[in-house]
Each structure stands twice: as structure tokens, then as C-alpha cells.
Amino acid sequence: MDGNPSILGSHGILEPGDLLIGAVIPIHTDSIFPLATYKQKPTPDICKSFRLDFYQQFQTFRFAVEEINRNPELLPNSTLGFYVYDSCAVLQRELGGTIWMITGLNQVIPNYCCQVHPPLTAVIGHSTSTFSILVAHIMGLYRFPQVSYFSTSSLLSDKRQFPSFFRTVPSDDFQARGLAQMVLHFKWKWVGLIASNDDYGTEVIEVIRQEVVKEGACVAYTVYMSDNLLNQNLPNIVKTIKDSSANVLIVFSVDFYLFPLLDEMLKQNVTGKTFVASEAWSISNRLAVNKYVSLLSGTIGFAFFSSEIKGLQKFLNSMTIYNTPGIYWAKELWEEVFGCTFVDQKNLTVTLNIKKQCTGEEHLSSVQNIYNDVSILRASYNIYTAVYVIATALHDLRQCRSLGGALVGNNCLDIGHFKPWQLMSYFRKVRVTLNNARDVFFDKDGNPPAVYDIVNWQLGSDGTIKQMKSTFCPDFGLIIDFISSKVPNSVCSQSCPEGFKQSLKEGEPVCCFQCSPCAQGEISNQTDAIECWKCPWDMWPNSARDRCLTKPIEFLSYEDYLGITLATISTFSSMVPIFIFRLFVHYKSTPIVRANNYSVSCILLVSLSFCFLCALAFIGYPQPEKCLLRQAAFGLVFTLCVSCILAKTVIVVFAFMATKPGSSLKKWTTPRVPYMIITICTFIQLTLCVFWLTISPPFLQFNIEAKPGIIVVECNENSQFAFWCMLGYLGMLATVSFTVAFLARRLPDNFNEAKLITFSMLAFLSVWVYFIPASLSAQGKYTVAMEIFAILTSSWALVFCMFLPKCFIILFRPDMNSRENLMRKEGGENKEHN
């Protein structure tokens, strides 16, 4: 293989050189898809469609090789040659073409290399992941470098299975992360997944599912498409798409899988769906036609990074059928571009009747098509990059750079005689800076830095689809700088407004939920809240439950109508016992005052005045000092009051019993006995209060449980046991007084104070018995008001029953307040008893 280019039929070509690079490129594709009936031997695939864009890739490969050969700083004194094989995107040809280049002969001989010099350094290919996986298994056995320009499957990142595989396109793992970020960016929560039923689709769709779920979205369904039309369940697949509420469809497939799917969607009149395209079809011109405008307008997807290659367009336009290897392909290009045909001398008449004749002198610069359009280079740019990567690795080997394992002993390798595996270390460490200042290198898995273009299919003013682009790097986030149409909404459930939270539906994904209002005392101030949260203890939700408001503070204050009313009554009531006291002092020498133990009555009146006034300690802000003393003061004052009544009752009984001849009770009728009773009873209550205030004193409390939404400022008694002991002792004294007075109610009239004591104690006990359930049912300031009401009522009961009759006689019936009247009544009573 020396001298001029070797033309190997219509499938492959060889351009000689000192070092050879192989490339497997599908110049043609299948335009006829024979059906597999499984009843007879399948007919071979027919490669009939000549692809201008793929032929551009081949010419870009040539351009890169010639550019390197002209560069004195890269592989000086060495010329690169190449093999190129047309795989027709068919697996059998992909394998056959690869083995043909490794063998070095027209005849394919596996596991045998007849071409030792010049060496085949690496193979560029293949066009799809499935083909690359199968070929990489074979080339990995020999550690033969393989650089793919289009295979993206993440399976190929496994260096244990594919140790010699590299690529100039990012792995689908990066694309899956990018798609998940796109879903998050557009706030899509409910998406459908569609994939081709091959290695490219089935493997990456699971990665996408995981990444999408990781970003908080959900997958409504996953369907797979096959290229075998007999096994295609398209009507059911499209019905699933149509019936689902997911309006965004992520499609991982090559373009020719989509044609039957889109046709069926048109047939079933599916509308309102937005496609998210993988890089394999995001820039497909065959899909961007008027037929599918209604379905694909608004499509957004990832495409390989595009860039311009300086001088490429001039190179493409300067090509003729005479200055390029592969004359069969060049003639097909001519016939496709210029609509002519080359003269076949054997069938001259037939040819002339069909098309105009090609002369070979036509100029490609006179036409504009996908072949010479270099505004957006993707696959061609990746092939260009792959050639430079291989050339740079060879240059590093030629420079004798030790990168770990490539050198044998201390000797440098001969650039013309080395084994392919010896080049592997240089591939792993290679670093290329291209003309656009982009750095290309490989990570530990053989992947380059991930950079994508984001492509948006928008409907132009002329009714055709225009492709807008932006740049995206998965490691630095999503950047969309084109103006798109209205972003579609794709959710399983509508967003929950503020004040609500998401509640999962049983058996449904997390994205399908119902909105439940926040519970009492909780808020959510963001949409789609997962949980509501409680307000701080001193705050309360507003009616919408989307923010916290400061809770109002409640206590029985002097500004409150209830508080000022009770304070007025308490103050006025305290003056009544003082008035009676002054009345008793003025009439202390009268029989009715003297007969009712003047001194004890004065003490009782003073204590009653304090009973009325102690109600004021329960009104106003409950300061710590008030909390500490108010219940104790109430207990002591009322104990003094009841002790005086008990002393008066006991003295009445003792005085009557002592009148009997030989009674031993005369010694208990002395003036000191009432004071002794008062002192002992009051001291016991004082002892209880001191123990209470010492061991477990009351304290100020902010109660947020009593009344939702309100802070009740109140005094906590701390020890309910001590409080009820104090109140119980007071009740016991009142009960004893009532009992003794009741038993003494029939004593002579001049001692009839026992009847008054009976009624007063009955009223006193009734008030406090009814106070217990009333206070337990009241809340907030009304609990305090109930206790004040009980204090005032019971105090008024004592004043009314004990002193009103006496005051009436003193003021309005002075004739009854005489010794003669008293003696007359006493004599009458004695006769009745006799």
C-alpha cells in the first residue's frame, strides 16, 4: 500500500501515509427498512440514501489530516494517512470495516494483522453506542485505541470492559444530569420518558429517571420504541401519551425511530405536548419539516457543542471529483447536489433520458446546502477534534515523553514501529488546545469535558422551524440565553398555595398530591410546602395561615370594662364595713352593740373591708409580686373574717350554756377566749401560706394553651395542692361556724346573732361551692373575674346577713335598741321555756 490512494470499491478508501488513522463513517444510511416476518430469511439492508451531512464529516476528517500534515510543529517529517469505511449505519458493516482496517487487507481476517507498516494507530468511530459497544469489546482485547465521535452511552465509561475506548462527546451521564437540571429549571414535576429499545435508549433512560427523581420530579410513564414495525405497539403507546397529564416528554432516541411515533400522534390528534430531545435528534433536519410543526414546535433539547472550523468551508467548496479520494462518493455528492448524473457509456441513452449530464466542472460554492453549511458543526467538529487528539498523542510518543509505561527500558519508541497498546498511556494524558481555545482532555473514564448546546425549536415567521441555541455545562449549571415561547406547565397536581401543604395520595407518586390547609397554629409561607410549621410561642397565624402575627395579650386590666367595673365595686364595697364600723363606734354603748361582742365585731368589720380590697390584687397586670402574695393575702384575710364569726358563734353557745347552775363553761366566757380562737385559727392559715410560699411559690405565667391565638398572662399557683389546702381550711372554718350557729339558732332573742351567723355562713359556703365548677370552666381573664366575683359576693353575704339587721335597728328602730325592750323579750322567752 504505497503510492497513490487505494480505492476499495464503494465501501472504503485508503490514503497512504507514514502513520494511518482509521475512520468508520456512515456515508449512506438505510432508506429502506425491510420487515422481519420470521417466516423467511431476512433480506439485506439496502443502503440507498446518500447523506450530505455525513459526507461533510468525511471531508472534515480529510481537512484535519491535511491541516496536520501541513503543520511543521505537529508530527514533523511524518505524514498521516487514513482508512475510511462507509458503514451504512449497519452493524455488520461496522464490524467488517473495523476488522478490515486492522487486518490491512481487502479480505477480512479476524485476529490477524497483515499490515505492519505503516502502522494503524487508532480507529475513529462508531456512529451509534450499540455499534461502539460491540466493536470496543473486540478492540479492547488488543488494547487498540478507539475514539468515538458520536457514541454517548455511559456503559462505555467502564474501563474494565472497554479499556481502549475514548470519545470526543460527553457521556450520557452528563446529559442525564443536564436534563434533570432543565426539568428543575422549568419547574416540570411530571414527565413522560420515551426511549429507543436499544443500548442507547434503555440504559440511559434509567439514569435519567434517577436524576429526574433526585431533582424532585416524577415519571408518569416509560415507553420504548422499536425499529421493527411488526413489534411496534404504537397505538397503545400514543394512547398512553395522550391520556397522561404529563405535558413534557423526554425522548432518548435517534430520529428515524420517531417518524412512526409522530405519524401515529398526528393520527390520534395528540396536542399540547412538549418534547425534550436528546442529542441524537435535537438537530435533525429530517424531523424539522412542516408535517410535524404542530407537534415539534417548542421542542427543547441538548446537542453536541458546536463550533466553527477556520478554513473548512473553503476546503469543502474547493473539492472536485478529481482531487478527493473516493470517486464513487464524490460522484454521488455531485449528483445529489447538482441534480445531474454522470454519463455511463454502457447505458448512455437511458442516462441522458433521465437527468442532465454532470460534467465534473460544477462549483460547489455556487450552491448552499447542508454539505457546505459550516455555521453549526457538531459531529464534524467532534471528528476534527478526534483527529487532533490522535495526532497529539502520536506527537507526544515521538517526543519521547515518559508518561508511565510507554517506554521500553530507557529507549524511546520508533514512531514507525510501535504496538497500539503502547500509545494508550499517551491517550490518557493527552491535552489538546484547539483553534477556538477549547481544551480537550480525557478523564479517568475516557470522557472529555462535558459541554452542550441547548437547542430550542421555534416557529419562524415563515412557518418553518428555527433552531435557537445556547451553551450548557453540567458542572456550572443551566444557562438559557435565547427568548423562548411560553414555558409549558407539566405537573401531576396543581401547586398548593401559601397556607396549605402537600398531602400524598395513597398509591400515587410524591408529585401527585392534594392540598391540605395547615393545622391550627401552623403556617406555610411558600407554595408547594411539604410541611407547615408552628409559629413562635408568642405569635399566631393570620386567617390565610401564610404568616405569623403577634398574639394579643389578655389579662384583667383596669382599662377593661369588666376590670374597671369590678375594681369600682370592690372599692365602694370596702367602704361599707368602714361605715358600719364608725356606726358601731358611735353606738357602742347601746344594748344591741354591746350584746354582740363589740370588739370582735369591730375586728370582723375591718377584716371584711380588707376582704373587699383584696379583690384589687387580682386586677391589673399580674406582676411577680402580685402573683406571690395575692392568694395568700386572700386566704389570710378571709380566715381572719371567718375566725371572728366562729369566735362570736362559740361565745354565744358558751354564754348560754354557762347560765345553767353548776356549769363548768363559765371559765370559757372570759373576754380573752374570742381573741384566742381568732389567733389560733388565723395562725394555722398563716403557717400553711408560709409553707406554700416557701416550698412552691406562685409565679407569673404566659399561658398559650388556654385560648388559641391569645397569650393569657396569669399567675400560676404552682402547687394546686397547697392552694386547695388553703381554700379547704377556709371552707372547714366556715363549715364549723355554720354547724355551731345552726345548732344555736333557737337560743333566746337577746342572743339571736346565731341565726344571722347561720344565714351568713350558708350564703358564704354556697358562693364558694358554686365557684369551683365555674372557675374550672372559665378561661383567661374570666377565671380571675370569677374569683373576684366570689370574693365580693361572699363578703357581701357576710355584711348583709351579719350587720344589716343591726344597722336597721340602730338607724331606723331606735326604740328596739333599749334595755327595757331587751329585758321584756328575754322574760317572754323564759316563760315559753318554762
Side-chain angles (χ1 to χ4, degrees):
M1 292 186 180
D2 53 356
N4 296 326
S6 174
I7 303 174
L8 307 172
S10 61
H11 297 320
I13 61 174
L14 168 63
E15 179 78 14
D18 300 325
L19 301 167
L20 296 180
I21 300 176
V24 179
I25 301 174
I27 305 297
H28 298 78
T29 57
D30 299 339
S31 60
I32 299 177
F33 306 99
L35 297 177
T37 62
Y38 303 101
K39 295 180 180 180
Q40 58 186 5
K41 183 178 179 180
T43 58
D45 297 323
I46 302 173
C47 298
K48 192 175 181 180
S49 177
F50 181 82
R51 296 287 297 272
L52 297 179
D53 50 344
F54 290 166
Y55 190 74
Q56 182 201 68
Q57 296 170 17
F58 160 63
Q59 291 297 337
T60 304
F61 173 79
R62 273 192 61 223
F63 173 78
V65 171
E66 293 186 10
E67 191 176 59
I68 292 170
N69 286 337
R70 293 193 304 268
N71 188 348
E73 297 181 359
L74 190 61
L75 292 176
N77 301 321
S78 294
T79 302
L80 288 179
F82 55 82
Y83 288 104
V84 175
Y85 190 84
D86 176 15
S87 67
C88 200
V90 175
L91 176 59
Q92 181 180 359
R93 293 193 181 183
E94 294 269 359
L95 289 172
T98 304
I99 298 176
W100 164 71
M101 287 184 286
I102 295 175
T103 302
L105 295 176
N106 290 351
Q107 182 181 2
V108 174
I109 305 176
N111 203 31
Y112 189 77
C113 180
C114 299
Q115 180 67 29
V116 178
H117 185 78
L120 178 65
T121 58
V123 173
I124 297 176
H126 298 74
S127 57
T128 64
S129 294
T130 299
F131 300 160
S132 289
I133 289 172
L134 295 174
V135 173
H137 277 296
I138 298 174
M139 300 189 72
L141 296 175
Y142 307 104
R143 299 297 190 270
F144 209 106
Q146 175 187 357
V147 183
S148 176
Y149 63 93
F150 215 77
S151 300
T152 59
S153 173
S154 58
L155 292 175
L156 290 164
S157 297
D158 186 354
K159 287 299 143 187
R160 291 175 297 179
Q161 296 188 64
F162 312 107
S164 62
F165 181 84
F166 301 88
R167 52 186 161 193
T168 55
V169 291
S171 166
D172 282 333
D173 282 340
F174 298 105
Q175 187 172 189
R177 285 165 50 194
L179 285 172
Q181 290 185 34
M182 182 180 290
V183 168
L184 179 66
H185 176 82
F186 290 116
K187 299 179 181 179
W188 294 326
K189 296 293 185 180
W190 190 234
V191 298
L193 300 182
I194 304 174
S196 55
N197 194 15
D198 55 17
D199 291 319
Y200 172 72
T202 56
E203 187 271 333
V204 77
I205 209 70
E206 184 59 33
V207 178
I208 291 178
R209 178 198 295 274
Q210 296 172 5
E211 292 293 334
V212 165
V213 171
K214 188 187 301 182
E215 294 293 346
C218 298
V219 176
Y221 55 83
T222 303
V223 294
Y224 296 93
M225 303 178 297
S226 172
D227 60 346
N228 191 328
L229 298 181
L230 289 183
N231 294 332
Q232 196 76 277
N233 192 16
L234 281 177
N236 289 336
I237 290 176
V238 174
K239 187 176 187 303
T240 299
I241 296 172
K242 184 178 182 179
D243 295 342
S244 175
S245 58
N247 295 325
V248 172
L249 314 178
I250 300 178
V251 182
F252 247 79
S253 171
V254 292
D255 53 4
F256 64 82
Y257 281 92
L258 289 175
F259 289 108
L261 176 70
L262 296 176
D263 290 338
E264 184 65 27
M265 291 180 70
L266 290 173
K267 181 179 178 181
Q268 295 192 27
N269 194 27
V270 179
T271 58
K273 306 296 181 181
T274 299
F275 286 85
V276 178
S278 66
E279 94 296 330
W281 69 276
S282 62
I283 57 169
S284 173
N285 292 315
R286 295 195 295 172
L287 291 174
V289 294
N290 292 336
K291 179 181 180 180
Y292 302 125
V293 164
S294 61
L295 292 174
L296 298 181
S297 178
T299 294
I300 188 171
F302 286 168
F304 293 140
F305 176 73
S306 62
S307 180
E308 295 183 359
I309 301 176
K310 186 177 180 180
L312 177 61
Q313 188 173 44
K314 180 179 179 181
F315 177 83
L316 295 175
N317 288 332
S318 65
M319 192 208 83
T320 67
I321 62 173
Y322 307 111
N323 65 1
T324 182
I327 191 171
Y328 290 102
W329 301 341
K331 287 184 176 181
E332 285 189 83
L333 171 69
W334 236 253
E335 293 176 349
E336 182 76 19
V337 170
F338 296 109
C340 61
T341 184
F342 283 94
V343 176
D344 185 348
Q345 297 297 331
K346 297 180 180 179
N347 301 290
L348 180 60
T349 304
V350 176
T351 303
L352 292 176
N353 290 337
I354 296 176
K355 291 182 180 180
K356 66 179 181 179
Q357 182 179 349
C358 295
T359 65
E361 300 298 329
E362 293 86 355
H363 295 284
L364 291 172
S365 59
S366 64
V367 295
Q368 288 293 326
N369 53 39
I370 193 173
Y371 166 73
N372 55 14
D373 181 8
V374 296
S375 59
I376 301 178
L377 297 174
R378 302 187 192 279
S380 296
Y381 178 77
N382 293 332
I383 291 179
Y384 179 83
T385 303
V387 174
Y388 266 88
V389 165
I390 297 172
T392 303
L394 290 170
H395 184 77
D396 291 341
L397 183 146
R398 183 190 184 97
Q399 296 296 108
C400 199
R401 296 176 182 172
S402 177
L403 297 176
L407 302 181
V408 180
N410 293 322
N411 299 321
C412 294
L413 295 173
D414 183 359
I415 189 65
H417 299 83
F418 64 92
K419 301 297 182 182
W421 63 265
Q422 294 174 315
L423 191 59
M424 291 290 296
S425 297
Y426 293 92
F427 267 95
R428 297 188 187 101
K429 302 295 182 179
V430 72
R431 193 176 193 95
V432 180
T433 301
L434 300 174
N435 292 334
N436 60 1
R438 181 191 174 200
D439 284 341
V440 179
F441 53 89
F442 298 120
D443 62 14
K444 61 182 179 60
D445 298 321
N447 299 313
V451 182
Y452 291 96
D453 285 346
I454 300 176
V455 180
N456 183 218
W457 294 21
Q458 298 182 17
L459 189 62
S461 57
D462 57 354
T464 61
I465 290 180
K466 307 295 183 183
Q467 295 179 356
M468 310 293 291
K469 77 166 188 172
S470 180
T471 303
F472 166 65
C473 177
D475 292 329
F476 297 100
L478 194 66
I479 302 173
I480 299 179
D481 56 13
F482 50 73
I483 301 175
S484 181
S485 56
K486 182 180 178 181
V487 177
N489 187 33
S490 185
V491 294
C492 181
S493 300
Q494 294 301 317
S495 295
C496 293
E498 296 178 355
F500 290 78
K501 68 175 182 178
Q502 296 179 358
S503 298
L504 297 181
K505 295 180 180 179
E506 186 175 357
E508 298 285 343
V510 295
C511 299
C512 300
F513 51 82
Q514 58 188 9
C515 298
S516 303
C518 292
Q520 189 177 39
E522 297 182 343
I523 68 160
S524 66
N525 58 3
Q526 61 185 26
T527 57
D528 290 330
I530 304 298
E531 292 292 341
C532 300
W533 53 89
K534 291 185 177 294
C535 289
W537 71 272
D538 59 342
M539 303 188 79
W540 185 251
N542 61 349
S543 58
R545 298 185 181 180
D546 58 359
R547 60 192 181 96
C548 294
L549 304 176
T550 302
K551 288 183 179 179
I553 296 177
E554 179 183 283
F555 60 90
L556 189 61
S557 69
Y558 287 104
E559 289 77 19
D560 196 323
Y561 286 115
L562 179 60
I564 197 170
T565 301
L566 293 175
T568 303
I569 294 173
S570 175
T571 304
F572 170 77
S573 300
S574 67
M575 299 172 65
V576 175
I578 300 300
F579 172 77
I580 298 174
F581 175 78
R582 294 186 64 185
L583 190 65
F584 268 43
V585 170
H586 187 267
Y587 292 97
K588 65 179 179 180
S589 59
T590 60
I592 196 169
V593 175
R594 294 178 64 188
N596 287 285
N597 199 328
Y598 168 74
S599 300
V600 175
S601 294
C602 289
I603 297 174
L604 176 58
L605 287 169
V606 173
S607 63
L608 280 172
S609 181
F610 281 113
C611 286
F612 284 117
L613 290 175
C614 76
L616 298 176
F618 293 83
I619 304 174
Y621 190 83
Q623 298 172 345
E625 296 79 8
K626 282 187 178 182
C627 292
L628 185 65
L629 298 175
R630 71 181 189 179
Q631 293 289 6
F634 153 72
L636 287 172
V637 171
F638 265 80
T639 299
L640 177 61
C641 182
V642 176
S643 298
C644 291
I645 296 174
L646 178 61
K648 291 170 68 69
T649 307
V650 171
I651 290 302
V652 169
V653 175
F654 284 179
F656 178 76
M657 299 294 293
T659 58
K660 294 181 179 181
S663 175
S664 60
L665 293 176
K666 288 184 178 181
K667 60 181 179 181
W668 293 103
T669 58
T670 62
R672 290 178 295 178
V673 173
Y675 303 116
M676 188 185 304
I677 294 173
I678 293 171
T679 302
I680 293 173
C681 292
T682 306
F683 180 76
I684 294 174
Q685 183 72 290
L686 178 62
T687 304
L688 289 175
C689 290
V690 169
F691 272 108
W692 177 17
L693 300 182
T694 303
I695 298 174
S696 185
F699 58 89
L700 176 65
Q701 171 181 280
F702 297 96
N703 190 341
I704 60 175
E705 302 294 338
K707 300 179 73 174
I710 296 176
I711 300 177
V712 178
V713 184
E714 62 184 10
C715 293
N716 189 316
E717 314 307 344
N718 199 355
S719 174
Q720 291 295 319
F721 176 76
F723 172 73
W724 288 108
C725 282
M726 179 271 291
L727 208 58
Y729 176 73
L730 182 60
M732 183 196 71
L733 291 180
T735 302
V736 172
S737 298
F738 169 74
T739 304
V740 174
F742 180 77
L743 295 176
R745 72 188 184 283
R746 295 187 180 276
L747 294 177
D749 282 351
N750 56 329
F751 300 109
N752 66 357
E753 195 174 25
K755 293 181 181 180
L756 302 178
I757 294 173
T758 301
F759 285 113
S760 65
M761 288 296 100
L762 180 62
F764 183 87
L765 289 171
S766 299
V767 169
W768 286 103
V769 168
Y770 282 110
F771 162 74
I772 295 173
S775 66
L776 294 177
S777 61
Q779 291 182 337
K781 64 181 181 181
Y782 298 103
T783 302
V784 179
M786 286 299 302
E787 186 169 357
I788 295 174
F789 180 78
I791 291 173
L792 297 177
T793 305
S794 60
S795 299
W796 268 110
L798 296 179
V799 171
F800 185 85
C801 295
M802 291 288 295
F803 294 101
L804 186 62
K806 298 180 178 66
C807 293
F808 180 78
I809 292 174
I810 293 173
L811 296 175
F812 302 107
R813 296 295 300 274
D815 58 307
M816 296 178 65
N817 189 11
S818 63
R819 184 175 181 81
E820 292 79 11
N821 185 64
L822 185 63
M823 294 301 294
R824 186 165 50 250
K825 287 185 178 181
E826 182 179 352
E829 287 292 335
N830 289 336
K831 290 179 181 180
E832 288 181 9
H833 283 284
N834 290 334

